[in-house]
Amino acid sequence: MAFEFTDNNFQDTALAEGKVSVVDFWAEWCGPCRMIGPIIEDLANDYGEKVLVGKVDVDSNPNISMEYGVRSIPTILIIKDGEVVDKHVGVTTKQALADKINKYL
């Protein structure tokens, strides 16, 4: 199951040293976000402990969204060792995301 990132836990989880994190910025009212939701869940299950895959509800957690300049959703960030190493805006395929993730493992 995808991890739920919040303004309070983001620093300690997504930005952890030595970790790769995939962060999906989404909202309940966003149609494309609902389309990509099952892909994020699948990736969370596929990567297990190797990658922290999770979601940020932009309506409930505006600070993270502002800090990373998220203006359109869905936006997916790949973070390694606390730094954003890749970004995708919009709907994509599971394979395209997996290819991006695998580059940083």
Side-chain angles (χ1 to χ4, degrees):
M1 184 168 175
F3 185 81
E4 185 178 333
F5 294 110
T6 66
D7 285 343
N8 294 329
N9 71 14
F10 194 81
Q11 186 75 31
D12 295 333
T13 54
L15 304 180
E17 196 70 29
K19 198 81 163 141
V20 174
S21 300
V22 177
V23 183
D24 173 26
F25 289 83
W26 74 290
E28 188 69 40
W29 48 264
C30 167
C33 298
R34 288 196 305 267
M35 289 171 56
I36 209 162
I39 293 171
I40 297 298
E41 291 293 336
D42 284 350
L43 291 171
N45 292 331
D46 292 352
Y47 284 96
E49 296 294 315
K50 292 190 289 185
V51 177
L52 180 58
V53 180
K55 302 165 74 95
V56 174
D57 182 334
V58 297
D59 291 332
S60 302
N61 301 284
N63 295 339
I64 303 168
S65 305
M66 284 191 315
E67 184 175 337
Y68 286 91
V70 174
R71 299 188 191 287
S72 299
I73 53 174
T75 292
I76 299 165
L77 301 181
I78 298 176
I79 299 172
K80 182 173 183 174
D81 296 327
E83 298 293 323
V84 175
V85 293
D86 207 322
K87 177 179 181 176
H88 180 86
V89 178
V91 177
T92 188
T93 65
K94 179 180 174 183
Q95 188 59 54
L97 286 175
D99 291 345
K100 288 183 178 202
I101 295 166
N102 290 336
K103 277 194 331 196
Y104 300 104
L105 288 179

